[in-house]
């Protein structure tokens, strides 16, 4: 999920760079961008996408994925609640307070960790599940 509100939203350049790293690190995985209600993409619709305004449908979709990656947002918490391993990306809010929990989920402070660190965390979680 490449969207969030206000300052929690990462730039298109950040997401583009990260998406390229994901494709390189996980060439055999299907990467799907869950789109926000505005039906916009931070990676210019390069990946397959999923769009719905139905919260139950979104939850069901996320629950059937191997891992969810997204900025600190309501959808990140929804992913964690769906028992999907969740990587929460933090740059504004306190990850010690708002981190996703359970099922190998992890909060990553992006000002202190590189995109490569995030990819390594994803790899670790996938290998644990």
């Amino acid at each position: 999920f490449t969207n969030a509100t206000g300052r929690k939203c990462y730039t298109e350049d950040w997401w583009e760079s990260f998406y390229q790293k994901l494709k390189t690190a996980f060439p055999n995985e299907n990467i799907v961008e869950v789109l926000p209600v505005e039906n916009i993409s931070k990676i210019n619709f390069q990946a397959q996408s999923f769009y719905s305004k139905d919260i139950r449908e979104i939850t069901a979709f996320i629950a059937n994925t191997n891992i969810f990656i997204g900025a600190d947002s309501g959808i990140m918490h929804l992913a964690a609640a769906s028992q999907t391993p969740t990587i929460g990306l933090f740059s504004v809010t306190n990850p010690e307070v708002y981190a996703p929990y359970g099922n190998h989920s992890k909060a990553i402070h992006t000002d202190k960790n590189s995109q490569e660190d995030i990819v390594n965390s994803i790899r670790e979680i996938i290998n644990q599940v």
Side-chain angles (χ1 to χ4, degrees), residues 90-112:
F90 288 79
S91 63
V92 176
T93 51
N94 184 348
E96 292 181 20
V97 176
Y98 298 105
Y101 57 90
N103 299 303
H104 307 285
S105 294
K106 184 174 185 177
I108 299 176
H109 199 294
T110 57
D111 291 338
K112 298 176 183 176

Side-chain angles (χ1 to χ4, degrees), residues 33-101:
E33 181 182 17
V34 177
L35 300 174
V37 69
E38 298 87 1
N39 198 21
I40 58 173
S41 170
K42 293 287 186 178
I43 57 172
N44 201 28
F45 295 97
Q46 293 179 66
Q48 296 177 41
S49 60
F50 174 81
Y51 177 77
S52 177
K53 292 182 179 180
D54 184 327
I55 193 103
R56 291 180 181 147
E57 192 173 60
I58 297 167
T59 306
F61 177 80
I62 293 170
N64 284 285
T65 62
N66 292 331
I67 192 164
F68 175 90
I69 306 158
D72 176 23
S73 65
I75 297 292
M76 179 203 72
H77 293 291
L78 182 70
S82 75
Q83 300 184 8
T84 298
T86 301
I87 295 279
L89 305 174
F90 288 79
S91 63
V92 176
T93 51
N94 184 348
E96 292 181 20
V97 176
Y98 298 105
Y101 57 90

